Amino acid sequence: MKKIILASVFAALSLTTAIANDGDLTLPGERWATKFTAFVCGDGNVQATAVPTDFAAYNIQISTMTTDYSLDNYLVKATFQENNVTCNYSAILLADNAAWTIKLVDSRAYSTVDGSVCAAGKAVLDSALADNKYAYLHGRAAIFAPVAGAEASCGAGASVVGLHFQVTGKL
């Protein structure tokens, strides 16, 4: 009897892991929701700028960012196109609020189309979110990401473009 129960527990855990690996990452204790509004330059102002070239190449569409109560842990969600397939992307980021920095902790990209890898677009997003400065002011946040085409988007000498989010409410 113990072997049957133990086998059932392992089977359930394996199924849960398989399902979790095919879906978005989750952030326990999500508290605040935001929506992506624009790519910005400078101090995170809301003046929109052009889509960075590496984001345009994969048709990267950032949708939301949520945070927990501490405002230390963030979950960013996006989609992108790779080999004519839509890929879903989610990333967990950790902020150091005293230093105004934010770092990638984990990410996942997947497609519901069998055999699709989504690796190249994931690499672009992972690189952009790896280790950045950020700004937060009055319900707005911007993550300043090093992206190809930053100068074309934000002017000579620019090396980053801000990903601007607007708070939409409490979860």
Side-chain angles (χ1 to χ4, degrees):
M1 183 66 169
K2 287 181 184 179
K3 288 182 181 179
I4 292 172
I5 293 171
L6 191 56
S8 297
V9 168
F10 282 122
L13 286 174
S14 297
L15 181 59
T16 301
T17 302
I19 292 169
N21 287 336
D22 289 337
D24 288 326
L25 294 170
T26 59
L27 179 63
E30 285 177 297
R31 173 95 179 213
W32 298 102
T34 72
K35 67 177 179 176
F36 176 78
T37 58
F39 293 99
V40 297
C41 301
D43 65 356
N45 61 52
V46 292
Q47 184 174 359
T49 189
V51 176
T53 55
D54 51 356
F55 278 50
Y58 288 94
N59 191 26
I60 293 172
Q61 302 293 314
I62 301 168
S63 57
T64 62
M65 180 171 68
T66 57
T67 184
D68 63 2
Y69 183 74
S70 72
L71 301 177
D72 290 333
N73 301 290
Y74 293 81
L75 174 63
V76 173
K77 291 186 179 180
T79 61
F80 60 90
Q81 299 291 315
E82 187 170 317
N83 299 320
N84 297 318
V85 173
T86 299
C87 298
N88 297 307
Y89 177 86
S90 56
I92 301 287
L93 307 171
L94 177 63
D96 178 339
N97 294 315
W100 293 95
T101 59
I102 192 164
K103 292 183 179 188
L104 179 67
V105 174
D106 192 12
S107 70
R108 183 175 296 158
Y110 67 94
S111 172
T112 56
V113 176
D114 289 337
S116 296
V117 178
C118 301
K122 178 182 182 297
V124 168
L125 281 160
D126 284 354
S127 176
L129 296 173
D131 189 6
N132 302 305
K133 295 284 185 186
Y134 82 96
Y136 179 82
L137 179 64
H138 306 295
R140 297 181 292 121
I143 298 171
F144 296 100
V147 293
E151 281 194 355
S153 294
C154 293
S159 60
V160 297
V161 172
L163 313 176
H164 185 270
F165 297 88
Q166 179 68 49
V167 173
T168 57
K170 218 178 198 185
L171 296 173

